[in-house]
Amino acid sequence: MLVLGIESSCDDLSMSLVDEGRVLANVTATQTLDHAPFGGVVPEIASRRHLESLEPTLELALEKAGRGLDAVEGVAATFAPGLVGSLLVGLNFAKALAYARGLPFRGVHHIEGHLWSAFLENEERYPFLALAVSGGHTHLYYVRAFGDYEILGHTVDDAAGEAFDKVAKRMGLGFPGGPAVERLAREGDAKAFDFAVPQVKGRPLHTSFSGMKTAAMEYLEGPAQDRAADLAASFQRGVVRALTAMCRRA
């Protein structure tokens, strides 16, 4: 069954054509340059750009897959979570396309999509632990089967990606922050500055990044003023250690 998948939960619009688990095409219309001057995603801009990108992205995906629209047998799209305007653009386009062509439609929770993307190239095995980390989410799941999930732990404040973006902005590295910090970190000493692994009292599988973010800001005001690469490397190491600790405790 050839399925058209549409993801528009934030600032990127992606469309994929998947045939029985085999990815024939995956095209993304990115908006990084549109949001960079603001240091973060502007929801109104994101949804407007999605509207402009829908048709050309679909055409390019079909071209790369070597298939016509008539070959599509089903449509799926992200319905949550995400920016409301962005979600509505992709979701309504997908539902309208499916309705107009008499095709089955399936809404997809985008975190569930993250969890199952690993099985596009690997055999399914249960149960398993899954760590979902992004700009808006940091969650540790226990997966018993498809649709059977238990949240074991999560951040109690900032998501990991959000912390990267905020520190990068304070350092003047631009948006998105994660890739910018990673590039600079390659030139630094990851043990130059100490970032303690956070522990949430009474909730050992939870984590926190607000303290780590505050520590980075304080280092920037003092010993790290002229050591940006060392701070980037140390902060990145601190975040990775926090995420690793969540998994090990589980």
Side-chain angles (χ1 to χ4, degrees):
M1 182 178 187
L2 182 64
V3 177
L4 169 65
I6 300 175
E7 150 59 26
S8 66
S9 61
C10 196
D11 58 322
D12 285 347
L13 172 68
S14 293
M15 294 194 188
S16 296
L17 286 157
V18 182
D19 189 2
E20 300 298 333
R22 187 165 60 97
V23 180
L24 304 182
N26 182 38
V27 177
T28 298
T30 184
Q31 302 178 14
T32 301
L33 295 179
D34 294 296
H35 300 283
F38 304 97
V41 177
V42 180
E44 178 66 17
I45 293 176
S47 55
R48 287 180 180 273
R49 291 292 180 269
H50 284 338
L51 281 169
E52 298 168 0
S53 301
L54 285 169
E55 290 190 25
T57 303
L58 175 58
E59 290 173 359
L60 184 55
L62 290 169
E63 180 183 333
K64 287 194 171 185
R67 304 291 180 87
L69 188 57
D70 289 340
V72 175
E73 300 170 281
V75 183
T78 302
F79 71 84
L83 301 177
V84 175
S86 293
L87 285 168
L88 285 174
V89 172
L91 183 61
N92 287 338
F93 179 79
K95 291 170 73 174
L97 181 63
Y99 179 78
R101 304 188 71 84
L103 302 174
F105 170 80
R106 177 70 179 265
V108 179
H109 189 287
H110 102 246
I111 298 300
E112 187 173 46
H114 284 311
L115 300 185
W116 292 94
S117 62
F119 298 125
L120 286 171
E121 298 181 353
N122 300 281
E123 182 181 353
E124 296 178 20
R125 297 177 63 183
Y126 308 100
F128 63 88
L129 288 176
L131 180 64
V133 181
S134 67
H137 302 87
T138 301
H139 287 70
L140 181 65
Y141 295 88
Y142 180 65
V143 182
R144 298 182 180 86
F146 181 77
D148 187 357
Y149 317 114
E150 178 183 353
I151 298 177
L152 299 179
H154 57 79
T155 177
V156 297
D157 40 57
D158 293 342
E162 182 182 3
F164 269 107
D165 284 341
K166 289 178 178 177
V167 170
K169 184 175 182 179
R170 177 63 180 79
M171 295 177 71
L173 298 180
F175 174 83
V181 171
E182 182 181 9
R183 285 191 295 270
L184 185 59
R186 294 170 187 158
E187 305 170 12
D189 177 3
K191 296 184 179 181
F193 299 103
D194 182 50
F195 286 92
V197 174
Q199 295 188 30
V200 180
K201 186 176 181 180
R203 294 184 285 179
L205 298 183
H206 286 41
T207 193
S208 166
F209 294 104
S210 62
M212 202 175 294
K213 179 186 65 181
T214 300
M217 303 301 183
E218 291 177 351
Y219 281 135
L220 282 169
E221 296 295 331
Q225 283 184 342
D226 300 315
R227 301 172 63 187
D230 287 344
L231 180 64
S234 299
F235 178 75
Q236 179 174 262
R237 176 175 179 265
V239 172
V240 171
R241 290 179 67 213
L243 296 173
T244 303
M246 289 178 69
C247 297
R248 286 178 173 169
R249 291 169 189 158

